[in-house]
Each structure stands twice: as C-alpha cells, then as structure tokens.
Amino acid sequence: RQAMMRVATWNMRRRRANWDVLPISGLDIVLLQEACPPPPSLAGHIEFQKLEPRRGSSTWGTAIWSRWPLRGLSGSTCHPGAAVVAEIQAPGGPVTAYSLYALFEHIEFSTKSKDYAVTTLHRLLSDLTGHLEEPARQARNVLGGDFNCNPKWDLKSKHPTNRLLIDRVEAYGLTSVLPIDAHRQIPTHRKSQIDYLFIGTAFSVDAANVDTDGPTQGLSDHHPVVAQLTLARDGPC
C-alpha cells in the first residue's frame, strides 16, 4: 500500500501575507524559512520558532506547515530558531520533517574575511543527529531548507566546502529530489540553487521541480523546490 504527498521547501521572504497561499497551494507539507509568525488559524498544523534575537530578528524564524496534524520536536541548541523539526501524522504513517535556515557567519582570516553558511549548517546537523539517525524515523525523514550554499562555488575557491556539506546530508541516508550539479544549475534564488529538499529511503520521487509559475510566483525572491512523493505504507518506519 502506498500514500502520495506533495512536499516543498520555500523561503517566504518575511511576508506575513504569504501564509494565505499554503492552504490553497495543493501542497501537503512545506518546510519554511524567513517566516513571519503564523496566524492562529493554522494552529495544530504549524510548528514555528523565532530566530534568536542576537541574529537581528525578534519576529521572523523557521517553520513547518502540514495539511495533517503535527507535533514539534527539539531543534537546535547552537542556533535556536534556525532548525525546526516536527513529526507529521501523514496518511502513510508518521513522517519526520526538518526545516533548516542557514545563517551566515563572518570569519576573519589573516589576510581576508569571508561569510560562510556551511559552518552553521554543520552545527544544525550535529544538533539534529539524534533525530536524523533514530532508526524509527530515518527512512521517513524529509529535510530541506535555504542552505545558502552551492557546490559550484567550490570551483572558484578550489575547496570542496559546499560539496562536503551536501555529502554530510546524504550520509544520513537522504537523497536530493533534484540533481545537485556544480556545472548545471536549477536556480532557486537568482542564478543559483541554494534551496534543497532531501528524502529518506521510504519515499520515491514521482516528479520534482523548481516551481517558477505556481501559486507562490512573485511572492518571494526564492522559488520553492516541490516534489510529488510516494510513501510506502508498509515500508521502513
């Protein structure tokens, strides 16, 4: 037996009105970044956490919305509000969803400085390892977000910094719903793919795309990554 669902990850660009599109989007689970606090009408179907104030935000944060009921799980202790985790009561059985927002970190070198997002993402993954490697969850994990990284940037730096981050995500038994290729891009923000969606082994991908003309068109500077998935009801859980 199988269950089908449409899953997406989307940076909302801190626009409160963007919540209105979710119930009519045809999506079942959406991993959200740069999200304003949700309206009360979404209670029971939303898990939202504000970013820590020292990051310059006292209002917006990271979220997960689901058409089905959900309950929040522990997130990141290193970067509160940058990672939201929820267990969703999907028709095919429980699904654990992870929404990640890659905060930039300014690093000073002896001769220059640089902003990195992979540093905070590695910390988020470390904080979430207990969930990601939990045998009862691993095959039914759905993870995505605004990573602010791209393997094509390694071609210029000559260091595999971004590719190693993607490799680490995949090491948790997760597979990207779209190809990740340093030379061939499927842009989600300007000319780069910086938003990603990964799934566990209990899912198969029926279709996946970067949605440039759906219901979210023009609502953000990011295009959502959307996947039509099939979940084996009697598969690993």
Side-chain angles (χ1 to χ4, degrees):
R1 295 181 299 166
Q2 297 177 327
M4 300 182 69
M5 61 186 69
R6 283 174 57 80
V7 180
T9 183
W10 184 38
N11 181 311
M12 301 177 81
R13 204 181 184 185
R14 312 177 201 177
R15 292 179 174 174
R16 192 175 303 276
N18 284 354
W19 287 111
D20 297 339
V21 76
L22 297 181
I24 61 172
S25 65
L27 299 168
D28 299 306
I29 299 172
V30 188
L31 316 176
L32 299 159
Q33 305 82 44
E34 292 197 32
C36 288
S41 59
L42 297 182
H45 294 265
I46 190 80
E47 178 68 11
F48 169 80
Q49 293 183 20
K50 294 180 182 178
L51 285 174
E52 54 188 323
R54 70 184 181 92
R55 286 291 177 175
S57 167
S58 59
T59 55
W60 58 276
T62 309
I64 296 170
W65 173 86
S66 171
R67 193 170 300 281
W68 307 297
L70 55 73
R71 68 180 182 94
L73 303 175
S74 58
S76 172
T77 56
C78 290
H79 301 291
V84 169
V85 188
E87 184 178 86
I88 298 168
Q89 297 306 312
V95 170
T96 306
Y98 307 76
S99 179
L100 307 183
Y101 179 65
L103 300 163
F104 278 103
E105 182 173 54
H106 190 71
I107 296 179
E108 295 282 348
F109 297 101
S110 58
T111 58
K112 63 177 182 178
S113 63
K114 186 175 180 180
D115 292 328
Y116 284 91
V118 294
T119 54
T120 58
L121 272 171
H122 277 295
R123 294 190 194 103
L124 295 180
L125 292 172
S126 294
D127 283 345
L128 301 178
T129 295
H131 298 317
L132 289 166
E133 293 197 350
E134 165 60 51
R137 300 185 187 280
Q138 193 166 31
R140 292 173 178 241
N141 283 335
V142 174
L143 180 148
D146 178 356
F147 283 18
N148 282 317
C149 82
N150 190 307
K152 77 173 183 179
W153 300 339
D154 297 339
L155 301 176
K156 181 178 179 179
S157 69
K158 307 300 183 182
H159 299 291
T161 306
N162 295 273
R163 183 67 246 180
L164 287 173
L165 186 281
I166 299 299
D167 290 346
R168 182 177 180 186
V169 175
E170 293 174 342
Y172 288 106
L174 297 164
T175 303
S176 175
V177 301
L178 290 173
I180 301 175
D181 190 325
H183 299 279
R184 298 181 62 186
Q185 293 290 296
I186 307 173
T188 62
H189 176 67
R190 298 178 181 173
K191 296 181 180 180
S192 298
Q193 181 180 1
I194 62 172
D195 304 87
Y196 301 89
L197 182 61
F198 296 83
I199 56 173
T201 56
F203 297 93
S204 58
V205 181
D206 302 318
N209 69 296
V210 175
D211 189 1
T212 58
D213 57 5
T216 61
Q217 181 183 12
L219 300 180
S220 172
D221 55 348
H222 288 246
H223 300 301
V225 179
V226 180
Q228 177 77 37
L229 305 177
T230 297
L231 170 63
R233 289 177 183 264
D234 298 322
C237 59

